Amino acid sequence: MGKTSFPAICFLAVFLGGSQTFPGQDGLVQLGRHQEYESRRISSYDRSGGNDDRLHIRRGETAVLADIEGPGAIHHIWVTIDAEPFYGRKIVLRAYWDGEENPSVEVPIGDFFSVGHGLNRNLRSLPIANSSEGRARNCYWYMPFQKSARLAVTNEGEQTVGAFYYYIDYRKLPSLPLNTPSFHSQYRQETPCLPGKNYLLLDAEGRGHYVGCNLSILQRAMGWWGEGDDMIYVDGERYPGLYGTGSEDYFCDAWGMREDGNLYYGCPIQEPDFKTGSKATVYRFHVPDPIPFKKSIRVTIEHGHDNDRSDYYSSVAYWYQDEPHKPFPPLPSVDRRLPFALIPEGNFSIPEWEMADRENGWNFVDKKSGAVFSAPSLLLSVSSFYAANGDRYPLLSSDGAKPGEESRLSLDIAIEEFYDVDLYFLKDRDRGRFMIEEILSEGAVAQFIHVSFDGYAGEKSMEKISLNNVRLKKGRNDIVFRVTGKAESSEGMNYSLMGMSVSPASRRFIRDWNLIGPFDAPDMSYLQTVYPPEREIDPEKSYQGKEETVSWGIFRAPESGFIRLEDSIRPSERGLIYALSYVFSPEERAALMKIGSDDGVRIWINGDLVHTNPAYRGAYPDQDTLSVHLKKGWNMILIKVLQGAGGWGFYARFVDPDGRLTYALSPDNSLTDKRSLRD
């Protein structure tokens, strides 16, 4: 298929494709007949009778979703998940039919629902449908079993899966024909594709029929990734009995790919620039036209014309066959499944660089953070690394760098304190070495640093430079880089900055609190409702709470500083708590307080209301900054946190780079202070 675009033909092809993708009438005819099965469902509902209708799956843990006796058939699976970025490639779904040892389904869960790269995307087709920005995933593949069905998921990520909701709807059948084939699904990848050899989508032995696939591409070169002919070999054919004309042709589109969705084919992801790092996912489901095989089948496709490209390919094949099936090859590890997925730490966000001026060199400013990068010559491009939303990180690269050349990263700091500065640089065959020697504040040397970096690598990778616990003053702070040369194998001395993260280094959170609650809070308006702890502070007293009498208790947060309320305050829905602590200041002073809360928050200092934020949100450190006045000696802090739904908790600290403030549960260890609060 040629590369020229003809809009009229594109429109006609899509229109005709859409007009022919309505399902046949057989399905509707079946609705007019009695259904000879019993409907059953297994879900993640809260077995205790509460509303915690989800699984929490720890790192490395396998959770069994269903263990069903046959005969029967699964006809619908729905999941929605709250987990770490790129969880679609980190959580693996497996299905075992009739007591088999080797799974018939073994696929990262995002790819099983036909969206690759660990991303979330909407998709509309007959057997797979994703909505809610890709977060609600539905599968309608028919999965029959004679004796048993066992479905499980394994968390191969770094963090606990906070919420895994699911339905598995199935039909309990009186019997199944003995020759009923089983549903199969397998993940494969080549990173990169092998030269001179078609990419292998499916290699199966036995009797069955192939019903489709999805294919995900991450480009390693510019231009159109397709032009690869599909070639399908049935029952040992030496020459493919099904020989196609191009990648987009097999996936039922034309003149390239663009994002679209139809009942049997579509494209949930296609980045339009077709540059290095551009991503795509396409699918083709042979629902009206399954491809049968009696002995074996090999489904392949070229990567580029005559395999002239070496992009990163990953795929899922779907098919039915008699058991036993050919065992699957080992599933690649998570890091190999996500070679360019990037999860930065701290306050990292994808920079939005734009050229500011060219006076004495090149200057680019990040519109988000206000950071400025200056060098004798700079080029702006995009990298292969991408964020959890799929956006690629930009690259700000030197051009023709020479030994001794100097560049500067200028940071505009609003609050003086100690920071951790993480700088992300690309490593590649033509990158050189540089040294970070000093940090300037308003033009004067504020701190000497000696950090060296070698950007050479045989394959593209990313490496972080960490400048830990550096004191940055309010205003402009310059990090100075000097080119020092290159490795012997390197093809150049250039460097490429991907972005940076600037986070407070030593957040001295207030960890010890007196807590009381919950009090009733049906909605956010109750943040202003006055309960007894606002009228008197007496940790020895008890009060009527949401459901029973509540008393003050002592809570100590971990080093993270997060007061996780849902673990210790019950009931943990539509309620509020009060938290009491004290801070000692050696002198009267103006201070900055940093708060993070889930959800709404109200704060008093020495009885004076200083902050109200009726927000529904997740808690992160330093979400709100407030200016407060501390008197000399002990100061009382009272925090009120209202919970709407989901998580519940807060962070609290003062900006204190010199470490002059101290904290305690009470100023005299009596835990009693009967001063009234003032609204």
Side-chain angles (χ1 to χ4, degrees), residues 411-417 419 472-477 592 594:
L411 305 174
D412 189 15
I413 301 300
I415 300 172
E416 179 177 348
E417 61 179 319
Y419 291 90
L472 300 179
K473 297 184 178 181
K474 183 177 180 179
R476 176 175 171 173
N477 295 261
L592 292 176
K594 299 273 192 176

Side-chain angles (χ1 to χ4, degrees), residues 255-325:
W255 312 107
M257 298 296 302
R258 72 280 304 146
E259 292 185 3
D260 192 13
N262 298 280
L263 294 186
Y264 309 129
Y265 69 93
C267 178
I269 302 172
Q270 177 58 74
E271 294 177 341
D273 57 1
F274 295 99
K275 294 181 180 178
T276 300
S278 178
K279 298 180 293 299
T281 295
V282 291
Y283 64 86
R284 166 73 158 98
F285 299 138
H286 293 267
V287 174
D289 57 338
I291 300 173
F293 55 95
K294 295 180 179 179
K295 297 179 181 179
S296 65
I297 189 170
R298 286 175 57 86
V299 182
T300 74
I301 192 168
E302 294 177 318
H303 40 98
H305 173 65
D306 198 23
N307 298 315
D308 63 352
R309 293 181 63 92
S310 57
D311 297 318
Y312 282 21
Y313 273 28
S314 53
S315 62
V316 176
Y318 308 92
W319 76 101
Y320 292 83
Q321 73 161 92
D322 296 339
E323 296 289 1
H325 64 269

Side-chain angles (χ1 to χ4, degrees), residues 520-531 534 576 640 642:
D520 194 30
D523 56 56
M524 191 58 72
S525 68
Y526 280 72
L527 191 62
Q528 299 181 46
T529 299
V530 177
Y531 288 101
E534 292 182 39
L576 61 84
K640 182 180 187 179
L642 184 146

Side-chain angles (χ1 to χ4, degrees), residues 202-210 231-243 290-300:
L202 173 61
D203 181 14
E205 296 178 356
R207 180 188 178 192
H209 46 280
Y210 167 66
M231 305 177 194
I232 301 177
Y233 303 79
V234 176
D235 295 337
E237 291 175 323
R238 288 194 170 189
Y239 190 84
L242 295 97
Y243 200 132
I291 300 173
F293 55 95
K294 295 180 179 179
K295 297 179 181 179
S296 65
I297 189 170
R298 286 175 57 86
V299 182
T300 74

Side-chain angles (χ1 to χ4, degrees), residues 508-566:
R508 295 180 60 236
F509 292 104
I510 307 173
R511 297 174 60 188
D512 294 310
W513 293 90
N514 304 285
L515 297 179
I516 190 169
F519 296 92
D520 194 30
D523 56 56
M524 191 58 72
S525 68
Y526 280 72
L527 191 62
Q528 299 181 46
T529 299
V530 177
Y531 288 101
E534 292 182 39
R535 294 192 292 267
E536 61 176 359
I537 299 297
D538 188 348
E540 295 179 350
K541 282 194 172 183
S542 300
Y543 309 99
Q544 178 59 44
K546 181 178 174 70
E547 293 183 355
E548 58 187 6
T549 300
V550 294
S551 303
W552 289 91
I554 296 174
F555 184 94
R556 181 170 177 79
E559 289 187 6
S560 69
F562 185 51
I563 314 297
R564 187 182 299 278
L565 296 170
E566 72 262 29

Side-chain angles (χ1 to χ4, degrees), residues 108-331:
I109 200 158
D111 295 84
F112 179 80
F113 290 91
S114 291
V115 176
H117 309 289
L119 303 178
N120 297 334
R121 292 292 187 274
N122 286 348
L123 183 152
R124 60 185 181 98
S125 75
L126 189 63
I128 301 287
N130 302 334
S131 57
S132 185
E133 299 176 336
R135 299 171 300 175
R137 294 174 162 94
N138 291 271
C139 164
Y140 296 94
W141 289 115
Y142 186 74
M143 306 178 191
F145 51 92
Q146 294 281 5
K147 298 178 180 179
S148 65
R150 184 173 185 267
L151 274 69
V153 290
T154 301
N155 176 16
E156 297 186 2
E158 295 295 320
Q159 303 172 19
T160 295
V161 174
F164 190 102
Y165 297 87
Y166 71 92
Y167 280 31
I168 297 176
D169 292 315
Y170 67 99
R171 56 190 66 183
K172 189 175 180 180
L173 298 168
S175 64
L176 276 171
L178 293 178
N179 62 348
T180 299
S182 299
F183 176 81
H184 292 72
S185 183
Q186 180 191 19
Y187 175 86
R188 286 179 174 269
Q189 69 176 45
E190 287 181 11
T191 54
C193 289
L194 302 177
K197 186 178 180 182
N198 284 12
Y199 177 78
L200 181 63
L201 287 156
L202 173 61
D203 181 14
E205 296 178 356
R207 180 188 178 192
H209 46 280
Y210 167 66
V211 294
C213 72
N214 64 67
L215 175 66
S216 295
I217 302 94
L218 194 150
Q219 294 188 209
R220 297 182 74 222
M222 295 180 65
W224 163 230
W225 55 263
E227 300 306 316
D229 296 345
D230 56 297
M231 305 177 194
I232 301 177
Y233 303 79
V234 176
D235 295 337
E237 291 175 323
R238 288 194 170 189
Y239 190 84
L242 295 97
Y243 200 132
T245 59
S247 303
E248 73 270 48
D249 307 350
Y250 173 68
F251 292 100
C252 300
D253 213 331
W255 312 107
M257 298 296 302
R258 72 280 304 146
E259 292 185 3
D260 192 13
N262 298 280
L263 294 186
Y264 309 129
Y265 69 93
C267 178
I269 302 172
Q270 177 58 74
E271 294 177 341
D273 57 1
F274 295 99
K275 294 181 180 178
T276 300
S278 178
K279 298 180 293 299
T281 295
V282 291
Y283 64 86
R284 166 73 158 98
F285 299 138
H286 293 267
V287 174
D289 57 338
I291 300 173
F293 55 95
K294 295 180 179 179
K295 297 179 181 179
S296 65
I297 189 170
R298 286 175 57 86
V299 182
T300 74
I301 192 168
E302 294 177 318
H303 40 98
H305 173 65
D306 198 23
N307 298 315
D308 63 352
R309 293 181 63 92
S310 57
D311 297 318
Y312 282 21
Y313 273 28
S314 53
S315 62
V316 176
Y318 308 92
W319 76 101
Y320 292 83
Q321 73 161 92
D322 296 339
E323 296 289 1
H325 64 269
K326 183 177 181 179
F328 298 170
L331 190 70

